[in-house]
Amino acid sequence: MTETAKTRVRSGESELRVTRSRRNVAWSGVGAIVVVVVLFLFPYYIGAGTTDIMVQALIVLTLASMWNLLAGYAGLVSVGQQAFFGLGAYFVLIPAMHGVTPWAALPIAAIGAGICALPLWWLVSRLRTGYFAIATWVLASAIMLVVEQFQSIGGGTGEALPGLSGMDPAVLAAYTYWAALIVAVLAIGAVYFLLRSRVGLVLTAIRDDERAARSSGARVGLARMLVFVVAAAGCGAAGGVLAIQQLEVAPGTSGGVFSVQWTAEMAFAVIIGGIGTIEGPIVGTAVFIILQQTLESYNAWYLIILGLVAIVIAIFFRRGLWGTLDDKVNLRLLPTGYYLWPAGETRRRFRRSKADVAQG
Amino acid sequence: MAWVNAVIQGILTGGLYALFACGLSLLFGVMKVVNLAHGDLATVAGYVGVGIVAAIHLPFLWSVPVVVLAMAVLGYVLQRSVIQAALSRGELTTLIVTFGLSIVIENGLLQFFTSDSRGLAVGDSFTTASFSIGSQITIAWLDVYIFVLAVAVLLALQYFLTGSKYGRLIRAVADDREAAQLSGADYRHVFGIAAAIAFGTVALAGMSYGLTTTIDPTTGTDTILLFAFAAVVIGGLGSLWGTLIGGIVLGVAQQIGAQINIGYEQLGGYVIFLLVLVVWPQGLTGRRAQS
């Protein structure tokens, strides 16, 4: 997993080493696999009520990972991701109404939402930052209005999801959980490997200096478009999972699949957990679910508290919980960047050299 | 005749949309803040207006200056505290903070006032009076008043920004913050004043909207913010009169959409918005504003 590039610096005759991380992170890959296996076995040991909450968490985790890719790595602050989330839900509903089993429709949801993102990208790509944000919001609103025009898929009131009515509730809950888990793992995996690829390098270059990246031949527009499409596909898959969990698809901006609340949840989870790290959305989702479950009986309060926490963290701890931890102890379990080793420094001597720096 | 009526109604509604948009436009023009909480703040002004009329039985027209002043003070305070703190940390933080404010305000309203729609209960002929041209065109006086108010606000802003000493200071800070600071201007205070003015227009927009129809907690984002933004994009960024044109184009497009099919009202507006975005990305008046 760790790439090492050795370059001889001609002037100083010393060796420069470039690795993925300052620490050896091979064990965290093994740890991730163990965690996924344990999560996979959950339905055998815990009740349907708990898996239901876990499905909610996995949906938010998928969404947050996608929003992190958009805002944290490509600088695209989208407030309209509910468009793709809602489209994903409908891309599960429509095949299901024609006899396709909803499980098989999940890939359709991801691919469909990704394809829908292409023309929308063409529309919004000419706008920057704040205007990009509201434009995505307007598009989400327009898409909802269009979807509501079709009475055959429930119009403005929504439609029940057919095709799962015969299943035993416990089995259905377990299957839904596994589907949500697979979607979340694939989403995080996709983000991780996308960022370690050439696209990740281009994105880092854009983040540091867009003009310089452009003039060095980096295909800035293409990289951003790829990120937008991947994020749409991920949100679409998450929307499909929601359709299966709720067994119905309802449009509408308050409580429906096109509610801006979904974008609020994913954005706040990312900001709280730590934007621009793979681990951040995971931490943020945990905070989100704990808050939501604690304040469950107080209606809208969890979103109010979540919003306030996100504002405070955005202002005072810009890198979020995980980013702040990373600053303190240099901890990246799933590194996507590179670390340039100064001459002579090795992993074993890391602690001592840090102490030297502190003394000097 | 029905089409003529649609166009006239659309033009009058366009005034309201321009009123929605000018606060958004001003904040972006001066401090490059895209205020995602814009619509929700207008809704708050509407609710405060409802509350004042209900609580102390102040005549409606007297409650307007009270609410505008209160919102202006809120604007100054918010700008000097939260928004300035976010602004100094970058664009992403500013967006997150205003988005956070939007969600907090919307859900706060939902929590305290439930999701029921409310109207500003003026309860006299002020909101219902109308006059007729011919047999098919009926124009509500209220829509005319709001259109006149919108034009008056835009004229006042135009005069203030170009003619007055303080307006020139605001434009100087907007153009080159460092240079203005070197000349002795405290840009934070200037930003605060600009935010106060913007919030004042937001209060007028929210109360006007509350007079024409009912408001509920989601009105702020579903209607006011998105329509304001559409008007700004159609009219061209950074031009006050472009905002009025944008508002009118949006209003007419919506009314024509509604004329085709009552369900197409909002879609009609968004179709024009997307068309402008594709064909004239600079907006209808953008080129003139640039040169």
Side-chain angles (χ1 to χ4, degrees):
Chain A
M1 294 275 274
T2 327
E3 292 168 27
T4 309
K6 293 193 175 179
T7 327
R8 194 160 283 278
V9 181
R10 277 172 198 159
S11 55
E13 284 297 310
S14 61
E15 254 182 16
L16 266 185
R17 282 200 315 132
V18 180
T19 58
R20 281 290 181 183
S21 167
R22 200 158 175 174
R23 295 177 181 219
N24 193 343
V25 289
W27 56 269
S28 72
V30 178
I33 292 169
V34 171
V35 168
V36 170
V37 168
V38 169
L39 284 174
F40 212 84
L41 297 175
F42 254 36
Y44 295 112
Y45 301 105
I46 58 176
T50 317
T51 49
D52 207 42
I53 297 169
M54 290 294 288
V55 170
Q56 253 181 300
L58 289 166
I59 289 175
V60 174
L61 177 59
T62 309
L63 293 173
S65 298
M66 291 303 144
W67 201 83
N68 181 39
L69 178 67
L70 276 173
Y73 290 98
L76 301 169
V77 183
S78 167
V79 196
Q81 288 308 103
Q82 68 268 26
F84 305 112
F85 185 75
L87 282 174
Y90 276 96
F91 281 131
V92 166
L93 174 70
I94 296 166
M97 290 170 79
H98 292 89
V100 179
T101 164
W103 313 110
L106 276 177
I108 302 178
I111 295 166
I115 291 172
C116 289
L118 282 170
L120 298 181
W121 171 251
W122 181 65
L123 286 171
V124 294
S125 60
R126 51 195 87 206
L127 296 168
R128 282 278 153 266
T129 58
Y131 280 114
F132 176 86
I134 315 188
T136 53
W137 202 339
V138 172
L139 282 180
S141 180
I143 287 171
M144 182 192 76
L145 288 169
V146 172
V147 168
E148 283 183 348
Q149 298 299 321
F150 294 98
Q151 293 304 323
S152 58
I153 50 170
T157 49
E159 182 81 19
L161 182 72
L164 294 172
S165 50
M167 284 181 80
D168 175 26
V171 176
L172 179 62
Y175 275 31
T176 311
Y177 172 80
W178 282 323
L181 182 64
I182 290 169
V183 166
V185 169
L186 285 179
I188 296 175
V191 173
Y192 181 61
F193 286 106
L194 187 71
L195 291 173
R196 286 177 75 115
S197 72
R198 280 189 68 85
V199 178
L201 265 182
V202 172
L203 291 174
T204 312
I206 299 172
R207 190 194 58 197
D208 291 345
D209 189 337
E210 186 175 338
R211 221 173 277 176
R214 260 179 215 284
S215 60
S216 320
R219 302 179 75 176
V220 172
L222 197 71
R224 282 215 170 106
M225 186 186 79
L226 189 63
V227 164
F228 193 72
V229 170
V230 168
C235 291
V241 173
L242 184 87
I244 292 173
Q245 191 203 15
Q246 299 195 331
L247 292 174
E248 64 160 351
V249 178
T253 51
S254 44
V257 287
F258 288 111
S259 170
V260 74
Q261 183 191 328
W262 295 107
T263 299
E265 288 175 3
M266 59 179 108
F268 295 164
V270 170
I271 293 300
I272 293 171
I275 192 164
T277 59
I278 300 279
E279 300 88 343
I282 303 173
V283 176
T285 304
V287 173
F288 167 78
I289 286 296
I290 291 167
L291 259 178
Q292 194 204 32
Q293 292 302 316
T294 323
L295 300 169
E296 197 183 21
S297 47
Y298 302 96
N299 301 323
W301 270 107
Y302 84 94
L303 266 178
I304 300 176
I305 306 260
L306 198 68
L308 290 174
V309 171
I311 291 174
V312 169
I313 287 193
I315 292 179
F316 296 108
F317 306 93
R318 245 188 306 169
R319 301 198 55 220
L321 297 179
W322 189 271
T324 311
L325 186 73
D326 180 34
D327 285 345
K328 293 248 158 54
V329 296
N330 233 294
L331 186 62
R332 286 286 179 98
L333 297 180
L334 299 164
T336 56
Y338 290 95
Y339 184 74
L340 182 66
W341 294 81
E345 191 188 16
T346 60
R347 279 201 175 109
R348 217 169 294 156
R349 287 179 52 195
F350 166 54
R351 281 180 187 283
R352 229 193 66 207
S353 62
K354 199 180 172 189
D356 290 346
V357 170
Q359 282 168 8
Chain B
M1 218 46 189
W3 296 96
V4 177
N5 184 40
V7 171
I8 292 175
Q9 304 295 344
I11 291 173
L12 289 176
T13 323
L16 180 64
Y17 294 164
L19 201 54
F20 286 174
C22 68
L24 193 70
S25 207
L26 189 65
L27 275 190
F28 182 75
V30 176
M31 46 204 119
K32 303 286 175 288
V33 170
V34 172
N35 183 11
L36 295 178
H38 176 81
D40 295 294
L41 289 162
T43 319
V44 166
Y47 271 93
V48 173
V50 174
I52 286 184
V53 172
I56 43 181
H57 305 291
L58 207 62
F60 172 72
L61 284 177
W62 283 104
S63 77
V64 173
V66 176
V67 177
V68 169
L69 203 65
M71 286 298 285
V73 171
L74 176 70
Y76 186 86
V77 171
L78 262 185
Q79 172 62 36
R80 289 300 301 260
S81 54
V82 182
I83 302 178
Q84 185 60 51
L87 204 54
S88 58
R89 286 166 175 79
E91 258 164 348
L92 174 72
T93 312
T94 315
L95 277 175
I96 289 297
V97 165
T98 58
F99 185 51
L101 279 176
S102 163
I103 297 293
V104 168
I105 293 172
E106 189 170 318
N107 286 286
L109 289 174
L110 205 61
Q111 190 67 34
F112 291 111
F113 298 100
T114 72
S115 56
D116 299 344
S117 322
R118 279 150 214 269
L120 280 174
V122 184
D124 53 21
S125 59
F126 185 72
T127 50
T128 52
S130 60
F131 63 95
S132 301
I133 304 171
S135 59
Q136 286 187 29
I137 300 176
T138 305
I139 294 169
W141 275 111
L142 181 66
D143 289 344
V144 178
Y145 296 149
I146 290 174
F147 189 84
V148 171
L149 175 70
V151 174
V153 166
L154 287 171
L155 271 176
L157 269 180
Q158 178 88 8
Y159 173 75
F160 174 74
L161 287 176
T162 54
S164 76
K165 203 177 154 195
Y166 217 94
R168 284 200 293 273
L169 185 59
I170 289 180
R171 287 195 304 149
V173 171
D175 279 351
D176 192 334
R177 190 199 297 177
E178 276 82 22
Q181 212 172 352
L182 286 174
S183 318
D186 177 7
Y187 76 90
R188 290 189 194 87
H189 179 67
V190 175
F191 277 5
I193 296 293
I197 296 169
F199 275 53
T201 67
V202 165
L204 285 176
M207 295 185 83
S208 304
Y209 189 71
L211 280 176
T212 54
T213 177
T214 55
I215 50 175
D216 63 69
T218 59
T219 304
T221 47
D222 287 350
T223 310
I224 300 179
L225 175 71
L226 299 188
F227 290 0
F229 176 68
V232 169
V233 167
I234 294 172
L237 312 179
S239 143
L240 278 178
W241 295 108
T243 305
L244 182 63
I245 293 170
I248 289 174
V249 170
L250 181 69
V252 171
Q254 285 185 350
Q255 292 299 326
I256 288 177
Q259 192 65 41
I260 297 167
N261 178 333
I262 194 70
Y264 293 169
E265 181 174 337
Q266 289 196 36
L267 267 182
Y270 290 142
V271 166
I272 288 293
F273 165 78
L274 295 177
L275 197 72
V276 169
L277 202 55
V278 172
V279 185
W280 300 282
Q282 299 295 320
L284 295 179
T285 62
R287 203 162 296 159
R288 226 179 309 152
Q290 263 186 343
S291 61

